[in-house]
Amino acid sequence: MFHYDLPNIQVQRLAVKLNPAAEKLVMQTAHPWIFSKNIEKINKPGEAGDIAILFRQKSNDLYGVGLYDPESPIQIKMLHYYSGKAIDKSFFSEKINEAFALRKPLLATSTNSYRLLFGENDGFPGFIADVYANVMVVKLYSAIWFPYLKDILQVLIEVSECETVVLRLSRNLQAHNHFDLQDGMILYGTLENEEVEFVEHGVLFTANVIKGHKTGYFLDHRENRKRVGVLAKNKTVLDVFSYAGGFSVHALAGGAKEVTSVDISKQALELATSNAALNGCVDNHLTLAGDAFLILEQLVEEGNTYDVVVIDPPSFAKSQKEVATAKHKYTQLARLGAKLVSKNGVLVLASCSSRVVADDFFEINESTLRSTGRQFVIQDKTYHDSDHPVTFKEGAYLKCGYYKFSS
């Protein structure tokens, strides 16, 4: 049962007309975002979570339903297109079951951690639900979901069979007291330890579901981590921006000769070390704490090389004005990475900056690597894992390139 009496909020229906350009965008692309500047008419003031019903400019035909968010520049988050629809428990149940069906092949592997709801891409704008073993972490980025939270959680619990639900709130939501809901609250079940152990392709990890980044761990690179684990057998590996050691631990579990994890956070490296220990890998794991760029420069100066180098930085472009700087940093990392990869080694370069699109990222990598004069082939380019489906352009952020050096 729920430990907290989740809010019972009455919502109203708003009649909305968009300007012609925005109406055309919604009709043609089913885009989930409607900005305040595109709203031409609204029949009355609205509150967060009110149901926005879109009517066509000329014919008055109903062509979509969304949730109203007065606190955001994206003022309507779309839920349904091309007709009217009752936004109720059965509506959410259908969407959640569709999402769960997409994840079933992943759960047939030796994996019990997955993203059940990936925001807009699963029809839940600003709503994330991650599962770690039998604990679900729900992270909300918008107040539009509070009126529907109880119904949605009931369905999520039923579908996932989770025994515990933890609520995480974005900084924006934490800044306001919404119905006494707090970041890190346990809404359902019990939690004996905030460090929850889970399995990813047979490798053990923990996620701090109360205090960890996002929901406690980064699930999106799962398939790439597994791949590095295979590449790493009997090899030396450098894992840069390692955080909790996702790539490092898969490499160690895959039989790496030695793995070096680099991160600016000593706490993250301690977590990486404990994750390695969970899998019985303690003797051949090294850690280096500090600024990754400076550490890489130092490793180059010292003449170090590695059979596999993984560079997976945090997002460098949180806004459009940071894109040029981000591209410069990706260029630096590709150049440093190339200097640290041994002959016949593999360089893995990743980006999670949505504002640096995949084509630009891969072009930066390839042109930078060519400029070094070393011979390499592109082994592969990968994107989101299956539990991070992409259903609209802005929903894509993750890309990863594999570069094999022959000289």
Side-chain angles (χ1 to χ4, degrees):
M1 62 179 279
F2 290 107
H3 297 303
Y4 178 84
D5 191 15
L6 291 167
N8 182 19
I9 305 162
Q10 294 302 309
V11 296
Q12 57 182 343
R13 285 166 175 75
L14 309 174
V16 178
K17 286 193 174 182
L18 306 182
N19 63 35
E23 180 178 298
K24 185 178 178 182
L25 183 69
V26 174
M27 291 290 291
Q28 291 184 349
T29 68
H31 201 282
W33 295 344
I34 295 170
F35 290 86
S36 56
K37 64 184 180 182
N38 297 129
I39 298 174
E40 204 162 88
K41 290 181 187 173
I42 189 162
N43 68 329
K44 55 187 168 183
E47 300 290 334
D50 283 348
I51 296 169
I53 303 168
L54 303 188
F55 292 91
R56 297 204 66 177
Q57 280 272 353
K58 293 178 180 174
S59 65
N60 280 332
D61 288 343
L62 201 164
Y63 69 101
V65 183
L67 297 181
Y68 187 67
D69 188 352
E71 300 300 316
S72 170
I74 302 171
Q75 212 152 71
I76 297 173
K77 274 83 166 172
M78 293 297 294
L79 299 184
H80 181 75
Y81 303 87
Y82 313 124
S83 68
K85 193 76 172 178
I87 306 302
D88 54 18
K89 189 174 181 179
S90 63
F91 171 81
F92 293 125
S93 179
E94 187 179 329
K95 292 257 191 194
I96 290 166
N97 277 282
E98 283 175 14
F100 186 67
L102 284 177
R103 279 75 175 170
K104 277 192 170 173
L106 172 63
L107 297 178
T109 69
S110 53
T111 299
N112 65 3
S113 52
Y114 62 101
R115 175 154 289 183
L116 177 46
L117 291 181
F118 181 33
E120 286 87 342
N121 297 283
D122 284 306
F124 286 80
F127 192 118
I128 300 293
D130 286 347
V131 174
Y132 302 99
N134 61 359
V135 176
M136 178 182 297
V137 184
V138 165
K139 181 146 190 184
L140 301 183
Y141 290 87
S142 171
I144 60 173
W145 293 111
F146 291 127
Y148 312 96
L149 194 54
K150 189 169 187 176
D151 283 348
I152 292 171
L153 290 181
Q154 285 172 343
V155 178
L156 286 172
I157 292 163
E158 182 184 326
V159 168
S160 68
E161 298 183 353
C162 280
E163 296 169 10
T164 304
V165 177
V166 177
L167 178 67
R168 302 295 300 272
L169 300 172
S170 67
R171 285 181 188 165
N172 181 48
L173 292 182
Q174 288 180 50
H176 302 87
N177 185 3
H178 292 282
F179 315 104
D180 293 327
L181 292 167
Q182 304 292 325
D183 183 60
M185 282 181 81
I186 297 159
L187 297 180
Y188 178 85
T190 57
L191 188 69
E192 291 178 17
N193 188 342
E194 61 189 49
E195 299 279 354
V196 176
E197 194 173 301
F198 63 92
V199 184
E200 178 180 280
H201 288 310
V203 181
L204 296 173
F205 289 94
T206 58
N208 189 313
V209 297
I210 303 294
K211 301 190 192 82
H213 287 306
K214 305 290 187 180
T215 64
Y217 192 73
F218 296 99
L219 295 168
D220 48 8
H221 260 311
R222 182 189 305 101
E223 199 59 33
N224 289 316
R225 290 190 284 259
K226 177 187 176 187
R227 186 168 182 162
V228 166
V230 173
L231 287 173
K233 190 171 178 63
N234 297 321
K235 302 284 175 45
T236 57
V237 179
L238 178 67
D239 179 11
V240 188
F241 304 100
S242 62
Y243 182 52
F247 285 102
S248 298
V249 177
H250 270 277
L252 289 162
K257 195 185 300 178
E258 184 181 87
V259 175
T260 303
S261 300
V262 176
D263 201 275
I264 198 163
S265 166
K266 289 182 180 177
Q267 190 179 6
L269 291 171
E270 286 168 9
L271 190 52
T273 301
S274 67
N275 280 330
L278 271 180
N279 295 275
C281 307
V282 290
D283 297 331
N284 50 347
H285 181 219
L286 310 174
T287 62
L288 292 171
D291 181 291
F293 290 88
L294 297 178
I295 287 175
L296 292 180
E297 294 276 12
Q298 187 180 336
L299 291 172
V300 169
E301 276 183 36
E302 292 169 359
N304 291 288
T305 58
Y306 304 83
D307 300 316
V308 180
V309 175
V310 181
I311 304 179
D312 175 33
S315 177
F316 287 141
K318 296 280 174 64
S319 65
Q320 197 59 36
K321 65 183 180 184
E322 294 177 327
V323 168
T325 303
K327 289 181 176 180
H328 176 66
K329 288 181 177 178
Y330 288 128
T331 301
Q332 285 180 284
L333 290 173
R335 187 176 294 116
L336 288 164
K339 291 178 179 178
L340 289 164
V341 178
S342 57
K343 186 179 178 182
N344 300 318
V346 177
L347 175 61
V348 183
L349 296 171
S351 164
C352 63
S353 299
S354 61
R355 289 176 179 82
V356 178
V357 298
D359 286 350
D360 289 351
F361 176 67
F362 291 129
E363 173 54 33
I364 288 166
N365 292 344
E366 288 156 36
S367 61
T368 305
L369 298 184
R370 281 195 298 269
S371 74
T372 67
R374 294 190 66 184
Q375 298 298 308
F376 70 94
V377 294
I378 303 164
Q379 282 191 319
D380 204 0
K381 297 174 182 178
T382 66
Y383 303 89
H384 295 239
D385 205 348
S386 60
D387 60 338
H388 288 68
V390 176
T391 57
F392 74 116
K393 186 178 73 171
E394 292 87 346
Y397 66 92
L398 191 70
K399 48 270 181 193
C400 186
Y402 291 76
Y403 307 93
K404 170 90 173 181
F405 287 76
S406 57
S407 68

